[in-house]
Structures are given as C-alpha cells and as structure tokens.
Amino acid sequence: MTDTPPDTGIPEPEGVSDVIETEYEIGQDNVEGSLGPIGFDIHNPVFAVSGMAIVAFVFYTLALPEQAGSLFSAMFDAVTKGFDWFFLGAANIFVIFCLLLIVTPMGSIRLGGSEATPDYTYMGWFAMLFAAGMGIGLVFYGVSEPMSHFSSSIGGISVGENGVRTDWAPLGGAEGDQEAAIRLGMAATIFHWGLHPWAIYAIVALALALFSYNKGLPLTVRSAFYPILGERVWGWPGHVIDILAVFATLFGLATSLGFGATQANAGLNELFGIPISDTTEVVLITAITAVALVSVLRGLDGGVKVLSEINMALALLLLVFVLLTGSTVAVLTGFFDYLWAYVEYLPALSNPVGREDVNFMQGWTSFYWAWWISWSPFVGMFIARVSRGRTVREFMICVLLIPSLVCVLWMSVFGGVAIHQVVQDGYTAAQEADLPLKLFKMLDELPLTGITSLVGIVLVIVFFVTSSDSGSLVIDTITAGGKVDAPVPQRVFWAIFEGAVAIVLLLSAGGLGSLQSMVISTGLPFTIVLLVMCVAIWKGLASERKA
C-alpha cells in the first residue's frame, strides 16, 4: 500500500460487488465547451441553478445589506427556536446508526469491492481527514469553547421576567462549584466535537463511497438515493438534492472562512499590532483564497495532501508543546476525567425535548449540528474520495471513534490548560478575552509566546487553504455531474465564490451572525436528506451482503 493516487475518474469495483445496472452515463447531461482558453464541463441544470443563485445572493447582500441582515437574523431565530429538537434528534439517530454498522455483519463489506485495496496509507488518510473535517474550528474553539462553558456553568442560571432562562450555562449549570463547572464545561465541549459531528460526516462519506465505488454510480450526493428513487434520481429530484448539497457546502465553508479570518486577524493584532478591522479581514480572505487557488491548480495530491500533512505536523507540535509547558499532569489526568464526564452527561446533553437551557441548546448545539450538516457534503465526499479499499467497520471506527478521541485530547489540552490558568494561577486574560483572542491569551502565559502564537496563525491560515481547496473540489464534482476530472477553471470559480460569499456576509449583513444564519438555514433541509440517506445506505449494504 502506498500513497500513489488512484487514476482519474471512478475506478471499477474489484472483486464481488452488487453493481447497479442503469442507462445513465456519467456526464451525459453535461454541457462541454470553452470560452477562449478556458474549458468547461458542467452539469445542466445543477451548475446553472447553483451558480446563478449564488451570484444573485452576493449581489442582493451587497445591494441591500440592512434588509439582508434582518432577513438572515430572522431565519436564524426561526430555525434554531423552531427546529432545535429536530437537529438534536436527527444527530442522535446518526450516531446510533453508525455504531450499529460497526457491530453488524455489514461491517465486513469492503468499499470498492471485495478485492479492493486502500489508495492511501493510514498516515496520509488521517492527515487529509482531519484537515478537511475539523481544521479551523479546532483552533478557533480549542480554548474559547471550554472556557465559555466553564464560565457560564460556574455563573449558574438566571431567569428572565417571562420565566425563560437568560444564561448560557449547559443543563443546570454548576453555580459556585468549581470542579463540577470544569467537568460540565468540558463535557459540553466534547459533546460538540465528539461522536455526533463525526457520525454526520461518516453517513455522507459512506453513502458516497458505497454507491460510487461498489454500485458504479457517479460520485454525487444524488447517487445515494438510487435505492429509493430509482431512475428518477437522474431527473429533477436528483437535481434538487445536488443543488441543496452545493448550497449547504458553500455556506458551511463560508462560515468557517469567516471564523478563520477573525481569528487570524486577532492573532496578527496581538503579535504585530495589525488593526482588527473589516478591511484586514477582507485582505486576509482575499490573500488566502489566492493561496488556495495555487493549491487548486496543484491538484489533490500536490495541493491538499501536502498541506494537510504539514498542518498535521504543526498541530501535533503545538499540542505537545502546550501539554508539556502547561499543566501536564493535570491535563493528562483530566483527559480521562473529561471523557468520563462526557459519557456521564451525554444522555442529558443529547436530549432533544423538555430542555430549560434554551440558549445553550439553540445557540450552541443547534448551530453546531447545522454547521456540521452543512459541511457534510464537502467533508463526506472528500472522505469518500480517499477511503476506497476500507471495510465499512474499519471506515466507521477510523472516521467515527478515533477522530472523536483526538478531538477530546485537543480540547482537554487547550481548554484544560486555559481553565487551569484561571483556577490555579488566577490568570483570567483568556477567560475575559473575545472568542478569537482566547487562544493567544492562553499562549501568553506559556514560554515562546511569539513563536507559538505565530504557529497558531499559520495553522488557521493553512486549514483555511485546505478547506477552500477541498470544498472547491467537492462542489465542482457535484456541479460536473460526478466527474472528478473536470476542467480546473471550474474549481477556481468555486474557490473564488467561497471567498466572495464569506466577504459579503462579513461586511454587508451582520458579520459572523449572518454567516451562522445562512449555515443553519441551509443545514435544515439537508438534515432531511441525511435521514433518508440512512435508509438508502442500509438498502445498499443489504444488497452487497446478498452479492
């Protein structure tokens, strides 16, 4: 097994596999041609509808920023308050479904056919999986989320005049109890970065890999619905599914780029005094999108894979440094305690009904699940692209359980050190700082502050680049009708528009709040898509078992 890339296009199943016989050919609905030296090969009407809708959205937001901002805010309130139970309930179903596949005989089915072998080593596979799946979020929230939940928990609950809680503490909080507040804060953080998000990614990735590598269908989201829709999947029902996937991916990426820009700006301000401003963030998004375009031109293995491995090495170095110079014994013992606290609080945190902690449930959990669901077409397709040759059981263990443990370790180290600084040292700068600055304020108390803060900024930027490049690859595959070797200028187009959407939402319509509004609004319909996808996966795996 090597890290040699597979041939372009979708390889044929190797060995025994239940290939679906269909008259549809990949690219049969595509429009091919060129505009001068720029070639194109696009699916009609998925590319046209998606492209025009995104362009119209950008112009609308720029032309009527106040109206757009009000609309986005209303959408956010309506979805989080009206469908919080739906997001939480659906995410629980995804976790249970994934764990079920690990222990059932279906886990022995191999993606790509019974004789398929993996295209990438474990090292290359894990590096790309992490860079695509959690990147910017881990750096942005590694300190800020544990600290936020700890602070709100120890502050206790407060109730407004209408009897509704106004605090942000998870569950019932832990007023005045420092140890309980730490455990609850870390459990709430791990809940948002553990099994549930990775289960969401695993569902989409498995569906795409199964129906593409085993069933011989195009590498698009619609292919997973063939057992349910049959040949109708190549018509308008399939077009709608793929268009929803494009919207969800684009706004999910734009939200992450917005978070990345604000944190990079905060870090540059802390280190070099560069002002925190909209202009700086626009320059950052523009510059990093330009770097992402270079990565796009270099391709999957020359761009994303190389950058992912560099970033994994940097992230590991920073993790080890913080662990060794922070509170090593406290953090290492805390890891197991936090993991047990997660198990202990999991039933209550994942409960979708009858909750009193409405701010935490709606403002944190509902938003997170919608964000992960918006990222799922992008991360799922990317994981599918690099997971051929793995068994379903191996795939689920590696995509679901191992990344969850690594996220627990990351949050335990960064969040644990920051909380320890407050509890043991009385250092409250990280606790009192704005979200984008919390990481850098925590690093201020450790040795080599300038170097580690610079590494943090580089991590954000490179995660930014790999997310943009990988996202462009995925959106282009969907809008090219499942072709994985479409002309490169199409990926360039989508990379530019990812940056453009992030910029207009940050500048013209309420900043990060608007980015969150769009991601949760596009995540809602795609949640329904994922629920139906579980049924399709079960049907697809059952037919493989018979074969």
Side-chain angles (χ1 to χ4, degrees), residues 327-349:
S327 310
T328 309
V329 176
V331 169
L332 287 178
T333 54
F335 170 80
F336 297 101
D337 187 32
Y338 303 151
L339 196 58
W340 178 246
Y342 167 58
V343 174
E344 184 182 329
Y345 285 111
L346 182 60
L349 289 168

Side-chain angles (χ1 to χ4, degrees), residues 215-519:
K215 308 296 187 183
L217 300 180
L219 189 64
T220 59
V221 180
R222 73 171 74 196
S223 295
F225 293 85
Y226 193 93
I228 295 168
L229 295 173
E231 290 295 315
R232 288 175 297 164
V233 81
W234 313 123
W236 270 105
H239 299 339
V240 171
I241 291 168
D242 278 350
I243 290 167
L244 276 176
V246 172
F247 288 161
T249 303
L250 194 75
F251 288 114
L253 278 168
T255 301
S256 298
L257 301 188
F259 282 128
T262 57
Q263 188 170 36
N265 191 179
L268 291 170
N269 174 262
E270 184 79 1
L271 276 182
F272 306 113
I274 295 173
I276 295 178
S277 66
D278 291 342
T279 303
T280 306
E281 290 175 6
V282 169
V283 170
L284 276 169
I285 293 175
T286 304
I288 298 171
T289 300
V291 177
L293 293 179
V294 175
S295 182
V296 163
L297 296 171
R298 287 181 59 85
L300 179 65
D301 290 270
V304 176
K305 181 172 173 290
V306 172
L307 287 173
S308 298
E309 290 176 343
I310 292 171
N311 234 27
M312 281 293 290
L314 283 175
L316 182 61
L317 281 173
L318 186 60
L319 180 74
V320 171
F321 176 83
V322 173
L323 177 62
L324 294 178
T325 59
S327 310
T328 309
V329 176
V331 169
L332 287 178
T333 54
F335 170 80
F336 297 101
D337 187 32
Y338 303 151
L339 196 58
W340 178 246
Y342 167 58
V343 174
E344 184 182 329
Y345 285 111
L346 182 60
L349 289 168
S350 57
N351 173 31
V353 294
R355 298 276 290 270
E356 294 183 356
D357 53 340
V358 288
N359 281 337
F360 173 81
M361 181 182 176
Q362 296 171 357
W364 280 99
T365 307
S366 289
F367 164 67
Y368 262 134
W369 289 178
W371 191 13
W372 301 143
I373 288 165
S374 291
W375 264 55
S376 64
F378 147 50
V379 180
M381 186 174 290
F382 191 75
I383 293 173
R385 285 284 301 270
V386 297
S387 299
R388 184 178 172 275
R390 310 287 177 185
T391 66
V392 170
R393 184 172 294 112
E394 180 187 15
F395 175 89
M396 280 298 173
I397 290 172
C398 291
V399 175
L400 182 65
L401 300 181
I402 293 176
S404 295
L405 287 175
V406 175
C407 286
V408 174
L409 177 62
W410 183 279
M411 293 299 182
S412 297
V413 170
F414 284 83
V417 168
I419 292 172
H420 189 270
Q421 289 174 347
V422 175
V423 173
Q424 299 297 326
D425 307 331
Y427 175 74
T428 59
Q431 185 178 27
E432 295 165 358
D434 292 335
L435 286 184
L437 265 177
K438 288 184 184 294
L439 170 67
F440 303 107
K441 290 298 184 184
M442 183 272 287
L443 293 174
D444 278 348
E445 276 293 280
L446 304 180
L448 306 175
T449 300
I451 296 173
T452 54
S453 294
L454 187 60
V455 169
I457 295 170
V458 171
L459 275 174
V460 171
I461 290 173
V462 181
F463 275 134
F464 200 146
V465 171
T466 53
S467 295
S468 179
D469 187 358
S470 309
S472 306
L473 169 71
V474 168
I475 294 175
D476 182 42
T477 302
I478 296 171
T479 56
K483 286 192 175 182
V484 295
D485 54 353
V488 174
Q490 293 173 202
R491 284 171 64 189
V492 171
F493 168 83
W494 289 113
I496 291 170
F497 264 87
E498 286 160 21
V501 169
I503 287 171
V504 297
L505 284 174
L506 274 174
L507 287 185
S508 305
L512 285 176
S514 291
L515 287 168
Q516 292 173 322
S517 301
M518 292 311 300
V519 79

Side-chain angles (χ1 to χ4, degrees), residues 170-185:
L171 303 178
E175 185 173 1
D177 188 337
Q178 205 168 71
E179 187 60 34
I182 294 172
R183 296 184 79 251
L184 178 56

